[in-house]
Amino acid sequence: HDGSAVTCDDFRQAMADASGRDLSQFERWYTQAGTPVLKAEGRYIKEESKYILKLSQSCPSTPGQGQAKKLPFHMPVKVGLIGKDDKKE
């Protein structure tokens, strides 16, 4: 596609070809209107030395796209826990 105009689909396909990954979920970022809202809730269970993290995502309704029609956006999340001495446990 060098030197020519391309569509978002062309760009996504070029990135998929170069990386060898399926990037079809990326389409939702330009086919669905609205900005997703990510909510995180976490709690630590001291007796079990366990941390529970619950993530949820929503996207407000927009004209022509009710909330029931919205599909989740792919949003990678990296998580890490730091101990009380600022070191990973």
Side-chain angles (χ1 to χ4, degrees), residues 11-17 19 21-27:
F11 176 74
R12 182 186 46 82
Q13 189 59 54
M15 294 298 104
D17 292 345
S19 68
R21 294 183 172 209
D22 177 7
L23 301 177
S24 58
Q25 271 199 345
F26 180 69
E27 282 180 37

Side-chain angles (χ1 to χ4, degrees), residues 18-74:
S19 68
R21 294 183 172 209
D22 177 7
L23 301 177
S24 58
Q25 271 199 345
F26 180 69
E27 282 180 37
R28 292 182 190 162
W29 285 95
Y30 59 89
T31 59
Q32 281 188 165
T35 302
V37 176
L38 185 65
K39 182 178 177 183
E41 296 177 39
R43 66 185 179 101
Y44 180 68
I45 303 171
K46 187 174 184 176
E47 301 79 26
E48 299 177 34
S49 295
K50 182 191 288 186
Y51 185 81
I52 297 174
L53 178 63
K54 178 182 174 184
L55 300 175
S56 59
Q57 183 187 130
S58 63
C59 190
S61 295
T62 53
Q65 290 182 335
Q67 196 167 18
K69 292 183 178 183
K70 303 278 185 160
L71 296 171
F73 291 87
H74 181 72

